[in-house]
Amino acid sequence: MASNQIIIRGVTLPGRRLAVALLCAPTIVHAADASDRVARTLPLPPGRAVRVEATIADVTIVGSDRPDLAVEIMRRAPTSSDLARYPVVIDSSDDVVRIAAVQTNDGRDARLKTEMVIRAPSAARLDAVRVFEGRVRLSDLTAACDVDIQRGNIEANALSGRVRLESGVGSVALTDAALVAGGMLRLRTFNGPVRLQFARPPDNARILALTFNGVITSDIPLSLRDTFGPRFGETTIGTGDPVVSIDAVKGDIAISVDRR
């Protein structure tokens, strides 16, 4: 073979024809990701609960003095046909508003992503927020929040009322927490740290903290058992109501008070 010959896909070409061959070669173009956006505003009368479900999602829920519920959902997928694999659902009945972007057939495709922003009244009751993987952010909610994410972090600020935040693999962080009589605060992780910051020292509370593989630190004095095995801390302040329960199977627990 002559030294100025080049083989392209098994075809021998003289070197001087290489530039022409490259110009004529087919170009591979990757289609841009498909996306869509759904936005709705719904009435949310007192007593009507909110439930949120998503597979791969970043969910943000913000409370304010607004009377209604504003929902914005952005989906991104490799192709437009993939969007049908996790349809948007926004349903309202007398009892509950359901907001969902769940993959069909119990899918777990990480390429099918959702960004969900919900603006709600501060007194909205979030009966169930369920996410398989992603992140959940919450702020300025005063009635009830029940959040469970299997893989990912929960970041919350200024919550009160009946609050349950749980992550399977990921962290849970709540800042500026406020306790109210008859409320409840439960923070839990299977594999990850838990950080709780009170907006001010609580007047009344029963605080329980347990980690099977981690350490407990607290600005609020706790009776600690940490010589071997699971670490456990507890204290009762005032009436002992509400109960604050924090536990981690594998992760540290940190309790602090905002000193500003």
Side-chain angles (χ1 to χ4, degrees), residues 23-38:
L23 288 173
C24 296
T27 302
I28 299 175
V29 178
H30 296 284
D33 288 350
S35 65
D36 70 356
R37 174 181 173 273
V38 176

Side-chain angles (χ1 to χ4, degrees), residues 26-72:
T27 302
I28 299 175
V29 178
H30 296 284
D33 288 350
S35 65
D36 70 356
R37 174 181 173 273
V38 176
R40 284 186 59 187
T41 300
L42 304 89
L44 190 69
R48 184 174 297 174
V50 179
R51 296 177 184 169
V52 180
E53 300 173 76
T55 305
I56 311 296
D58 285 349
V59 177
T60 300
I61 305 174
V62 180
S64 70
D65 60 359
R66 65 181 304 137
D68 53 13
L69 193 70
V71 180
E72 182 176 356

Side-chain angles (χ1 to χ4, degrees), residues 157-158 174-177 197-201 219 256-260:
N157 177 260
L174 171 57
T175 58
D176 287 339
Q197 179 202 64
F198 289 106
R200 61 183 183 85
D219 288 351
S256 63
V257 178
D258 189 349
R259 300 298 184 181
R260 291 176 295 177

Side-chain angles (χ1 to χ4, degrees), residues 12-241:
T12 303
L13 296 174
R16 64 180 178 272
R17 295 176 56 193
L18 175 59
V20 175
L22 292 177
L23 288 173
C24 296
T27 302
I28 299 175
V29 178
H30 296 284
D33 288 350
S35 65
D36 70 356
R37 174 181 173 273
V38 176
R40 284 186 59 187
T41 300
L42 304 89
L44 190 69
R48 184 174 297 174
V50 179
R51 296 177 184 169
V52 180
E53 300 173 76
T55 305
I56 311 296
D58 285 349
V59 177
T60 300
I61 305 174
V62 180
S64 70
D65 60 359
R66 65 181 304 137
D68 53 13
L69 193 70
V71 180
E72 182 176 356
I73 299 175
M74 173 73 77
R75 294 183 300 164
R76 292 184 173 88
T79 68
S80 57
S81 62
D82 288 321
L83 295 174
R85 295 169 56 192
Y86 59 126
V88 170
V89 175
I90 303 176
D91 282 340
S92 181
S93 67
D94 290 340
D95 298 328
V96 65
V97 176
R98 180 172 178 258
I99 304 164
V102 177
Q103 294 184 26
T104 58
N105 300 319
D106 201 28
R108 297 289 188 265
D109 191 336
R111 301 173 302 165
L112 309 183
K113 301 178 180 179
T114 306
E115 296 175 20
M116 192 178 294
V117 177
I118 301 171
R119 295 176 175 85
S122 292
R125 197 176 81 238
L126 302 174
D127 272 6
V129 178
R130 301 291 183 261
V131 178
F132 172 70
E133 182 175 338
R135 177 168 51 189
V136 178
R137 298 184 184 95
L138 309 159
S139 63
D140 299 298
L141 298 163
T142 61
C145 299
D146 186 330
V147 180
D148 191 323
I149 182 169
Q150 295 186 41
R151 298 179 187 174
N153 301 332
I154 300 174
E155 302 167 8
N157 177 260
L159 303 186
S160 61
R162 300 188 64 81
V163 178
R164 174 183 171 269
L165 309 177
E166 183 168 343
S167 173
V169 180
S171 63
V172 172
L174 171 57
T175 58
D176 287 339
L179 301 180
V180 296
M184 176 197 73
L185 179 55
R186 180 175 184 180
L187 311 178
R188 184 179 188 185
T189 66
F190 181 82
N191 189 344
V194 180
R195 297 184 298 277
L196 169 63
Q197 179 202 64
F198 289 106
R200 61 183 183 85
D203 296 322
N204 301 286
R206 170 72 170 147
I207 300 176
L208 307 168
L210 171 66
T211 176
F212 288 87
N213 189 352
V215 298
I216 299 172
T217 59
S218 178
D219 288 351
I220 299 171
L222 302 177
S223 298
L224 290 172
R225 188 188 70 191
D226 57 3
T227 54
F228 63 91
R231 273 67 170 173
F232 180 74
E234 64 175 327
T235 191
T236 299
I237 304 170
T239 64
D241 175 52

